[in-house]
Amino acid sequence: MTKHSIFDTQALEAFRKEHKLQPYRIRQIYKEIFHNFVIDFKEMTALSKDLRNKLEESFEIISLEVEDVIEDDETSKFLFKTADGNVMESVLMYHFHTEQRTLEKKLNRITLCISSQVGCNVGCIFCVTWKMGLKKNLTREEILSQVVYANNYVKNKYGKKVDNTWYSIRNVVFMGMGEPMLNYPAVKKVCWFLTDTNYFGLSRKRVTISTSWVLPPLKQFLADDLPVSLAFSLHSADQKLREELVPTIAKYYTIEKLFAALDEYTDKTGNKIFYEYVMIKDKNDSRELAHTCGKLLQGRPAHLNLIPYNQNPAIDLEESTEARIKKFKDVVESYGVPVTVRQNMGRKAKSACGQLGYEKVQGKIIQKPCVDPNCDCKKC
Ligand code: SF4
């Protein structure tokens, strides 16, 4: 018998009625999954054995198979297999701080980077993921399963905090495989689950959609007023250079059109936008381009995040030097724009930004990115 996902609320309600369960039973199940991070019905000891068995027969909590986990000091990368045999990745990032008095390194917060698609067809030249091509859009259940599984993993790895609550994911970012706006219907549902207090209960600031942006879903996103933060992949404030860096869409969705839409978003919501900028040596890191970037973001509710380029197979690019990044930062800040430089995490495990799919791509023939945003060949 095919099992329903536990996120299929209609199926769960039908199950409740069929078995004449009180509504509080459903709340108990959710508490086990979203507060106690249990991913096996057998471990839900607040429920009777009979109910656990019935749930087991009809539902699944995780709609993915874990193929591998690759660890380094700061990250855990999960390779998940979908029921139709595709493999995609999510990354847990552990942020530590050093206690001043004892000099002890303590876990401060945990971020999960999730995928919305298997592969990608946007073709950013600094990213290895598009070289897999786009295999498929992930379903709501497949995206949510990444979060549920990762929370259980964190619980087993780190246990309880001093306040007796479990360590858990504090931030979820759509920065894994894929362009979330190209799988917007599923991403939208996921965002509601992530922020609804009946489920994950994360605040608006703790869920971020990162996008290179395709304009049509933006209109819908504005209308929906999703309770999430927005990060925009800028990479260059110069139109011509952006077309080179993000070749599939930048030509069609120009900086001018994008900023008209982004301004509409900030005017309507009052939210700040985080702009992501991968720093590539001798490509987009010059003083002149820093001024172009500063001028573009000046006066807007913006925060610029500079990301040193992460090395990839078969991509002939280098990361900017520390000195160059510092100069770029100083110039943009002189326009009154706050700038941070992202800490490099997960390079050893090939789980850093732009490296997802590394193992799949290594040694394979490299495709050329498709330049038509309406292409439906399913290969690019
Ligand atoms: S950076 Fe993101 S949007 Fe660009 S190719 Fe990689 S996965 Fe796709």
Side-chain angles (χ1 to χ4, degrees):
M1 187 178 82
T2 313
K3 293 185 180 183
H4 297 284
S5 163
I6 201 71
F7 295 106
D8 184 340
T9 48
Q10 284 181 346
L12 195 56
E13 182 58 13
F15 175 90
R16 185 187 75 74
K17 286 184 177 154
E18 185 193 337
H19 295 284
K20 299 185 176 44
L21 300 172
Q22 294 295 319
Y24 80 90
R25 287 291 180 199
I26 303 299
R27 290 198 293 276
Q28 276 183 319
I29 297 167
Y30 286 159
K31 188 176 173 203
E32 292 286 12
I33 298 171
F34 301 111
H35 293 270
N36 297 332
F37 311 124
V38 174
I39 57 170
D40 186 341
F41 290 114
K42 290 189 199 77
E43 291 174 22
M44 296 187 179
T45 48
L47 310 178
S48 70
K49 195 168 177 203
D50 180 49
L51 178 54
R52 281 183 263 161
N53 288 340
K54 284 184 177 132
L55 283 164
E56 180 82 51
E57 279 165 23
S58 305
F59 291 93
E60 62 185 10
I61 300 172
I62 306 287
S63 311
L64 297 167
E65 201 183 300
V66 185
E67 194 166 80
D68 202 359
V69 182
I70 303 170
E71 300 256 10
D72 67 16
D73 303 344
E74 306 159 316
T75 61
S76 302
K77 176 162 92 165
F78 306 113
L79 278 73
F80 288 116
K81 195 180 202 170
T82 59
D84 50 13
N86 285 293
V87 178
M88 52 85 191
E89 300 171 8
S90 337
V91 180
L92 272 170
M93 290 171 279
Y94 310 111
H95 306 268
F96 294 92
H97 77 278
T98 307
E99 286 239 322
Q100 282 198 335
R101 197 173 51 83
T102 59
L103 297 180
E104 209 184 326
K105 206 171 146 191
K106 289 230 161 134
L107 183 58
N108 188 22
R109 66 194 153 82
I110 302 168
T111 299
L112 178 67
C113 174
I114 55 174
S115 294
S116 53
Q117 298 179 308
V118 181
C120 187
N121 61 359
V122 172
C124 305
I125 65 160
F126 48 82
C127 174
V128 80
T129 307
W130 72 263
K131 292 176 188 292
M132 290 171 62
L134 174 64
K135 305 291 183 204
K136 69 167 230 157
N137 280 338
L138 291 170
T139 63
R140 171 187 73 171
E141 286 76 20
E142 287 164 343
I143 302 173
L144 288 166
S145 292
Q146 297 170 55
V147 190
V148 175
Y149 182 83
N151 255 332
N152 177 266
Y153 189 87
V154 166
K155 170 184 164 176
N156 292 332
K157 186 175 169 108
Y158 287 107
K160 283 189 170 175
K161 296 182 272 187
V162 281
D163 66 2
N164 211 31
T165 59
W166 297 108
Y167 275 100
S168 61
I169 295 159
R170 197 174 84 162
N171 300 291
V172 174
V173 293
F174 284 86
M175 293 185 188
M177 283 186 182
E179 163 52 66
M181 285 298 162
L182 291 176
N183 186 15
Y184 183 68
V187 166
K188 175 180 156 179
K189 288 180 200 149
V190 168
C191 289
W192 288 117
F193 273 98
L194 291 176
T195 52
D196 188 326
T197 49
N198 289 314
Y199 302 96
F200 296 91
L202 297 170
S203 77
R204 167 175 226 134
K205 285 188 180 163
R206 306 259 180 253
V207 180
T208 302
I209 293 184
S210 175
T211 177
S212 311
W213 219 301
V214 185
L215 273 173
L218 167 63
K219 298 282 173 201
Q220 193 54 49
F221 179 78
L222 285 171
D224 292 337
D225 191 21
L226 280 193
V228 296
S229 297
L230 189 62
F232 179 76
S233 302
L234 182 62
H235 309 312
S236 171
D238 175 85
Q239 176 60 28
K240 273 271 154 276
L241 181 58
R242 193 160 190 276
E243 285 173 25
E244 192 188 321
L245 299 177
V246 191
T248 51
I249 51 176
K251 193 164 31 167
Y252 302 91
Y253 305 116
T254 60
I255 288 176
E256 196 186 346
K257 284 186 198 164
L258 288 165
F259 273 77
L262 294 171
D263 287 346
E264 192 185 331
Y265 168 81
T266 50
D267 289 349
K268 185 178 168 193
T269 62
N271 294 341
K272 179 194 283 189
I273 293 177
F274 293 85
Y275 290 90
E276 313 286 350
Y277 197 111
V278 171
M279 293 294 287
I280 309 167
K281 187 177 174 191
D282 299 332
K283 194 58 127 175
N284 63 351
D285 62 351
S286 69
R287 175 175 279 274
E288 191 194 345
L289 287 166
H291 280 289
T292 313
C293 185
K295 281 178 198 156
L296 180 67
L297 299 183
Q298 187 176 34
R300 290 189 152 103
H303 185 115
L304 183 67
N305 195 12
L306 301 176
I307 307 166
Y309 166 72
N310 294 302
Q311 203 65 36
N312 275 317
I315 296 180
D316 191 17
L317 296 172
E318 283 179 53
E319 84 182 277
S320 304
T321 61
E322 259 182 58
R324 190 61 84 88
I325 294 174
K326 166 93 175 58
K327 272 188 201 149
F328 197 98
K329 179 176 186 284
D330 290 347
V331 170
V332 178
E333 280 177 339
S334 73
Y335 287 87
V337 179
V339 183
T340 42
V341 180
R342 186 184 293 173
Q343 189 195 344
N344 289 321
M345 292 181 88
R347 282 184 174 179
K348 270 190 269 171
K350 298 289 177 281
S351 55
C353 194
Q355 291 185 314
L356 298 192
Y358 189 100
E359 289 81 6
K360 289 267 154 207
V361 168
Q362 216 171 15
K364 287 200 179 161
I365 298 162
I366 304 305
Q367 291 176 231
K368 282 215 161 72
C370 176
V371 290
D372 178 359
N374 301 315
C375 174
D376 62 355
C377 74
K378 311 259 184 320
K379 291 180 198 145
C380 57

